[in-house]
Amino acid sequence: MDDPILTMEEREAINTGRWFSSLSPSLRHDILRCAFVRRYQDGDLIAARGEPPDQWIACAKGAVRVSSTTLTGKQITLTYVEPGIWFGDVAIFDGDRRTHDAYAHGATTILNVARADFQKILALHPELYEALLKLQARRIRLLFGQVEDLNTLPLRARLAKQIGHLIRSYGVPSLSSHDEWRITLQLAQEELAQLLGASRQRVNQELKTMEREGVIRVEPGGLVVCDRYALQRISEADQ
């Protein structure tokens, strides 16, 4: 059964999100007042491609895996939505159906705002239009940056940049060493390869090279970054 109340950790993730925290207190209050909580287990479907855009969504805990399916039936992961990030507003604005599937990656908590409530909030708070416009601009900038990286950077640099992003979103200091950071998001090498537009074999080779260099350590529970400065140097080496 869904718990209708966010935990303190989940509420903190929402309130400290870069975009959400920039809104006025009254707007944040009205959004949260209209929102309802849903909790999912790993692999549960949150939203399906082709569905009408009935809800505006935020991730409060865990991760949302956004994917598409090829003609042969293979699922391709495009991105992971981290805690504090809102999505689904584009489909509400243009009225078109959802273009991708969204699945829970690990135990995931979602905050939902019904489409009707979303439109009421827009009517009450015109500032939300400008805020969402800025959010879209940020998304476009990130997308262009990813396309540029894909076309200009070698896989080694792209992998280092992706690991750096995972540290910022899911990194926690290692209990065994203050210099090490553990990435709590559990990703198979195939999933990491999909994010980079590369084969699993090539990503595996680059990970092994970084491990030999003492930059990272691959453990059964996930990646541990041993030297963040070296990782950053790799990501900037060919820029």
Side-chain angles (χ1 to χ4, degrees):
M1 179 180 296
D2 290 340
D3 188 336
I5 301 175
L6 292 173
T7 66
M8 291 183 62
E9 179 185 4
E10 293 165 348
R11 183 174 287 273
E12 178 73 8
I14 293 293
N15 285 330
T16 58
R18 177 181 174 185
W19 178 80
F20 189 77
S21 63
S22 70
L23 305 178
S24 68
S26 61
L27 175 52
R28 296 199 303 269
H29 174 270
D30 282 353
I31 291 173
L32 294 177
R33 180 174 58 85
C34 293
F36 57 96
V37 177
R38 284 183 175 168
R39 290 187 165 83
Y40 298 87
Q41 298 301 312
D42 182 47
D44 287 349
L45 180 66
I46 296 172
R49 178 177 183 173
E51 286 184 344
D54 292 333
Q55 296 167 3
W56 185 35
I57 307 171
C59 180
K61 176 187 176 182
V64 178
R65 177 169 58 85
V66 180
S67 65
S68 63
T69 305
T70 67
L71 293 176
T72 60
K74 181 181 180 181
Q75 282 196 349
I76 302 297
T77 299
L78 303 175
T79 190
Y80 290 88
V81 178
E82 64 198 64
I85 301 297
W86 291 78
F87 64 100
D89 42 281
V90 172
I92 292 180
F93 272 124
D94 67 16
D96 206 349
R97 294 180 179 273
R98 299 197 184 278
T99 56
H100 298 90
D101 298 316
Y103 293 89
H105 189 81
T108 300
T109 301
I110 295 298
L111 202 59
N112 298 269
V113 176
R115 183 176 185 177
D117 289 329
F118 176 80
Q119 292 170 336
K120 289 177 183 178
I121 295 170
L122 280 173
L124 288 172
H125 298 274
E127 72 168 278
L128 184 54
Y129 282 102
E130 182 177 357
L132 287 170
L133 183 61
K134 290 181 178 178
L135 181 61
Q136 295 303 324
R138 185 180 303 161
R139 290 169 177 165
I140 292 172
R141 287 179 182 273
L142 288 173
L143 177 61
F144 282 173
Q146 291 170 353
V147 173
E148 180 180 6
D149 287 350
L150 185 62
N151 286 278
T152 60
L153 296 182
L155 177 59
R156 176 177 166 86
R158 300 204 316 273
L159 176 58
K161 289 187 70 172
Q162 182 63 58
I163 295 174
H165 172 72
L166 291 173
I167 292 174
R168 291 188 293 274
S169 302
Y170 294 97
V172 295
S174 175
L175 296 177
S176 59
S177 172
H178 294 299
D179 296 329
E180 296 182 348
W181 287 77
R182 182 176 301 276
I183 297 173
T184 59
L185 182 68
Q186 301 292 314
L187 290 182
Q189 288 188 12
E190 177 64 29
E191 294 168 327
L192 185 57
Q194 289 177 13
L195 291 177
L196 296 165
S199 68
R200 186 196 63 79
Q201 291 79 6
R202 290 189 61 205
V203 169
N204 177 263
Q205 291 173 359
E206 295 294 349
L207 288 172
K208 288 182 177 179
T209 299
M210 290 185 188
E211 191 167 24
R212 287 195 300 268
E213 295 170 346
V215 179
I216 65 168
R217 186 168 67 252
V218 180
E219 296 184 349
L223 283 177
V224 176
V225 176
C226 307
D227 190 337
R228 292 187 67 176
Y229 297 105
L231 187 72
Q232 184 174 352
R233 287 196 297 270
I234 293 172
S235 68
E236 297 173 348
D238 293 278
Q239 296 186 43

